[in-house]
Amino acid sequence: MRTMEPVFGRPLITQEQIRARVRELGKEITTAYRQKDLVMIGVLKGTFAFFADLVRAIRLPLHVDFLVVKSRSVRKPAKSGKVKLVSDLSDDIRDRDVLLVEDIVDSGLTVQYLSRVLAKHRPRSLEICTLLSKPSRRQVDVDLRFVGFEIPDQYVVGYGMDYHQQYRNLPYLAVLDPHLVQKQDPR
Ligand code: 5GP
């Protein structure tokens, strides 16, 4: 039987650490958006786990919506910043307070592109929340209002994040060891 765990060493960030940080982010967002008209926009597929936990940690009325973007290939930066939008918003965000939720900001090109797309819809405010940030990989300057964890330049999977569409259901965040993956995965 193939299992996931042998591919990873210790979790980079444990379930308990994720839970505690998401609770804190929920409180910060609740405080920041008290008098606002909050629309949370999740970028799929990578944010599905984080997004579901985060919205439930926010004690305010809010709306949810999603953007589906085509994932770029592993380790290849989205050079042009042109991310393919597979599915657009379903609701109007004009004059509303938008919080874009990402799984990870690496070069920054994806959030820069998505912010420009959303700004065209004329929201009243537009901020970014990301579970993870790799500051050492940044190519463009992006303003991240809420950051779960800053991590070094390592490829991480789990808690919604994938490697070739696998490992999204790993309940914690782990660093992928490509040698072990090749040994285990017959493809
Ligand atoms: P950026 O445009 O900031 O370079 O890349 C952002 C996107 O690249 C993320 O939304 C994610 O899909 C992917 N990505 C970047 N680093 C990682 C990583 O360490 N693990 C995984 N699974 N995806 C990553």
Side-chain angles (χ1 to χ4, degrees), residues 48-112:
F48 78 89
F50 175 47
F51 192 87
D53 287 342
L54 184 63
V55 291
R56 286 176 294 172
I58 298 170
R59 293 279 167 264
L60 291 175
L62 55 81
H63 285 215
V64 302
D65 208 340
F66 299 95
L67 290 172
V68 184
V69 300
K70 195 173 156 68
S71 58
R72 47 165 234 204
S73 58
V74 174
R75 277 279 181 215
K76 260 197 210 134
K79 281 199 188 81
S80 63
K82 287 258 185 274
V83 181
K84 190 168 158 37
L85 262 191
V86 178
S87 172
D88 209 334
L89 299 178
S90 58
D91 295 324
D92 193 5
I93 57 166
R94 193 183 180 91
D95 293 331
R96 308 187 73 183
D97 298 296
V98 171
L99 185 57
L100 179 67
V101 180
E102 257 289 14
D103 51 357
I104 183 162
V105 177
D106 183 297
S107 68
L109 289 165
T110 303
V111 281
Q112 185 187 60

